[in-house]
Amino acid sequence: MTVPQSARPGLYYPKMPLGWWLRRPNYIRFMIREVTSVFIAIFLVVLLIEVHMVAQGPEAYAAVVAKLRSPGWIVFNVVALAFALYHTVTWFKLTGVVQVVHLGERRVPPGLVVAGAFVAWGVVSLFILYWLLVRS
Amino acid sequence: MREETITLEVTRYRPGHDSEPRTESFAVPYQKDWVVLDALNHIKDQLDGTLTYRWSCRMGVCGSCGMMVNGVPKLTCSAFLRDYYPGPIRVEPLANFPVIRDLVVSLDDFMEKLRRVKPWLIRAVEKPVSEGEYRQTPAQLEDYKQFSMCINCMLCYAACPVYGLAPAFVGPAAIALAYRYNMDSRDEGYKLREPILSESVGVWECTFVGECSVVCPKGVDPAAAIQRSKVAGAKDWAMAMLMPWGGRR
Ligand code: SF4
Ligand code: FES
């Protein structure tokens, strides 16, 4: 195992300051990404409550929907949507790095892998929109 | 005409004397073709012979001259003064490592981690020399080549906030090297390295800040190696759940 860092006398052990994440733009972007997940998590909890209320009957569901129509919740949903988009876009941009795709002997260029992810995302989103708006 | 100078704000730390590092400023001649390392050499030769730092090749190969330049991990032999004009230029020891003296940090922790990931070709059974070499196609070479370019300069560890907060993290370069051997068609040591990568301080400690790959002077992209190792680890885990009697490789 590794020796604990405080093992050697005479050495100076630097400490990470609380504001370490303000030091570099990439750290800040990383922190924003982390914060976006909190909003997405809250959104999902609300969604679960809605589903639960559907099971409780039409009145219970209507009550929740009425609550969610308040300006506060609308603002929250807009923010959560923006964060979800930010999270998704940054995530897809990374797929080119993470996912190595081979076609035969050749490696598919990372840019194409990213493009593929975006196209797939667009197709699925359009399908869901169609299903929600046209079919129902 | 007076010679133009640029100021270097250099971190000094004398073990046994100082309780913590302090900063000392030096004015050095501003030469367009000088790198930060040239400026440090000028200080040591002309101004203060006690200044302590590491360097060797002066051409971005040995990986020993890594320091924080204006807060960013850099090879000082490749960091030109002109890119920091008019200064001042802050030169500090690599972040996240214990400081031995002035700009010299202790790399013991990394050396230990490097040893643990077994960065060498492992064969289940070595074939006799008489049977010839282990052959490899250019495509197989391409699978790991980029990850073999690491010069152990430790810039990636200095850039990694996870390593700063949790020093037990195996860290970017060590994982990139483990991945380099795992991806080598001649290697059969995946199972031996896997436990080290999948432990709690292994790949899963990484939150994908990605700064390691940004600062790497050799284009190794350790962040990619870590995420790909996560994918491989997750696949193993899934396979083990589905087929308890035997998984991958
Ligand atoms: S991965 Fe890059 S930054 Fe890290 S030690 Fe190797 S060469 Fe240096
Ligand atoms: S002195 Fe060798 S890499 Fe800078």
Side-chain angles (χ1 to χ4, degrees):
Chain A
M1 278 312 293
T2 44
V3 185
Q5 284 257 322
S6 54
R8 284 181 56 189
L11 267 58
Y12 174 74
Y13 289 83
K15 277 172 222 58
M16 291 272 277
L18 269 180
W20 64 265
W21 54 277
L22 290 168
R23 281 185 174 173
R24 308 200 58 184
N26 224 0
Y27 292 172
I28 298 177
R29 276 195 287 275
F30 162 75
M31 274 309 204
I32 295 175
R33 257 183 76 80
E34 297 288 286
V35 171
T36 59
S37 356
V38 175
F39 281 74
I40 294 166
I42 297 174
F43 175 81
L44 286 175
V45 169
V46 173
L47 191 68
L48 284 177
I49 294 174
E50 281 176 68
V51 170
H52 176 71
M53 287 307 176
V54 169
Q56 302 290 306
E59 290 93 61
Y61 179 63
V64 178
V65 170
K67 262 216 185 94
L68 288 177
R69 288 230 166 102
S70 71
W73 276 111
I74 290 173
V75 169
F76 169 82
N77 275 293
V78 170
V79 173
L81 176 66
F83 278 176
L85 287 176
Y86 178 84
H87 205 107
T88 311
V89 169
T90 48
W91 179 255
F92 279 169
K93 276 186 167 168
L94 298 171
T95 51
V97 172
V98 178
Q99 202 59 52
V100 183
V101 181
H102 284 282
L103 268 185
E105 278 276 272
R106 285 262 186 98
R107 184 178 169 191
V108 179
L112 266 185
V113 177
V114 178
F118 275 105
V119 168
W121 180 35
V123 168
V124 172
S125 303
L126 284 178
F127 176 75
I128 293 176
L129 267 183
Y130 165 80
W131 194 72
L132 283 178
L133 298 178
V134 181
R135 292 278 310 273
S136 55
Chain B
M1 201 182 85
R2 263 193 68 219
E3 193 183 31
E4 195 180 359
T5 62
I6 190 163
T7 301
L8 257 65
E9 296 171 353
V10 184
T11 301
R12 307 298 305 264
Y13 173 71
R14 288 172 308 165
H17 288 268
D18 305 335
S19 59
E20 54 182 57
R22 62 204 160 77
T23 305
E24 198 172 340
S25 292
F26 298 95
V28 300
Y30 174 66
Q31 310 265 15
K32 281 211 177 69
D33 55 351
W34 270 20
V35 290
V36 172
L37 182 61
D38 292 320
L40 293 174
N41 284 338
H42 175 87
I43 296 171
K44 190 166 180 79
D45 293 345
Q46 310 288 334
L47 306 174
D48 183 347
T50 65
L51 182 65
T52 310
Y53 50 97
R54 286 194 186 108
W55 67 287
S56 178
C57 70
R58 216 202 151 273
M59 52 192 283
V61 173
C62 73
S64 60
C65 68
M67 295 165 213
M68 305 299 282
V69 180
N70 280 359
V72 180
K74 289 274 179 198
L75 294 179
T76 47
C77 68
S78 316
F80 282 90
L81 295 184
R82 59 172 182 259
D83 293 334
Y84 300 92
Y85 184 84
I89 308 174
R90 205 153 28 88
V91 185
E92 298 161 297
L94 276 184
N96 302 337
F97 289 98
V99 183
I100 297 175
R101 184 189 188 101
D102 291 348
L103 300 164
V104 176
V105 295
S106 166
L107 300 176
D108 294 355
D109 179 56
F110 171 70
M111 292 305 168
E112 172 64 21
K113 285 167 178 164
L114 190 60
R115 202 177 54 75
R116 289 183 64 217
V117 299
K118 305 188 182 2
W120 54 82
L121 287 181
I122 299 172
R123 300 288 301 182
V125 184
E126 286 282 353
K127 67 178 183 183
V129 178
S130 58
E131 279 177 35
E133 60 276 75
Y134 297 103
R135 298 218 148 181
Q136 200 162 51
T137 66
Q140 287 170 327
L141 171 67
E142 216 40 58
D143 283 343
Y144 69 83
K145 190 171 173 216
Q146 150 194 14
F147 303 101
S148 71
M149 304 308 276
C150 174
I151 56 173
N152 295 357
C153 66
M154 299 294 96
L155 300 196
C156 50
Y157 283 74
C160 176
V162 174
Y163 182 62
L165 294 165
F169 176 36
V170 177
I175 295 177
L177 274 169
Y179 184 75
R180 173 248 174 279
Y181 285 94
N182 282 343
M183 291 308 290
D184 193 317
S185 58
R186 302 163 296 180
D187 182 83
E188 294 168 346
Y190 179 82
K191 277 252 162 69
L192 292 172
R193 292 185 200 100
E194 218 278 325
I196 300 141
L197 297 186
S198 63
E199 67 187 13
S200 63
V201 290
V203 293
W204 300 104
E205 190 81 314
C206 167
T207 52
F208 208 169
V209 178
E211 196 66 1
C212 52
S213 297
V214 174
V215 301
C216 175
K218 292 287 155 184
V220 173
D221 203 347
I226 299 175
Q227 313 321 312
R228 288 183 203 166
S229 301
K230 284 183 190 169
V231 173
K235 265 193 209 149
D236 283 349
W237 180 81
M239 289 302 266
M241 297 301 278
L242 293 171
M243 302 189 294
W245 55 89
R248 169 173 177 256
R249 275 198 260 190

